Amino acid sequence: MTSDDQLVVSGGFKDKNLKIFDIQNRNQKGTIENAHQDWINCVAITYDKKYVISGSDAATIKVHDIKTKALKYTFEMPKITNVFQHEGIAF
């Protein structure tokens, strides 16, 4: 949610899209389709409301322009699997 309570962004687990909502008018303002290749875990909006930042299970962080929906940056992180395992359950 933006600091002025005007916009909120949600990330889809299955459809991998980012959805931008106008809180005051209670409507969807836009969709950034196929924002990630895997489930989206976290989203944030920059203070100036220019960019949406999101992270996914694909170990990527992406920065999209809110107005144009264009991808500006992709950061790839090392994928960590089975950090701790106990009796067959990975944590």
Side-chain angles (χ1 to χ4, degrees), residues 1-80:
M1 184 181 314
T2 55
S3 59
D4 59 4
D5 297 333
Q6 289 185 359
L7 298 176
V8 69
V9 176
S10 69
F13 287 111
K14 291 186 180 182
D15 65 8
K16 302 164 188 99
N17 296 334
L18 293 169
K19 295 179 182 171
I20 305 162
F21 295 92
D22 181 320
I23 295 172
Q24 223 172 25
N25 296 323
R26 299 182 188 271
N27 63 1
Q28 187 172 331
K29 202 170 173 164
T31 301
I32 300 172
E33 295 185 9
N34 299 310
H36 285 275
Q37 294 178 350
D38 209 337
W39 289 14
I40 298 170
N41 297 334
C42 55
V43 295
I45 305 170
T46 57
Y47 188 77
D48 58 8
K49 296 185 277 188
K50 289 184 179 181
Y51 303 103
V52 174
I53 304 164
S54 55
S56 82
D57 274 0
T60 56
I61 297 170
K62 296 194 177 190
V63 180
H64 287 87
D65 185 294
I66 285 182
K67 287 184 183 178
T68 66
K69 318 274 186 304
L71 177 63
K72 297 300 241 176
Y73 306 102
T74 299
F75 302 96
E76 294 185 20
M77 311 310 263
K79 205 166 191 178
I80 300 171

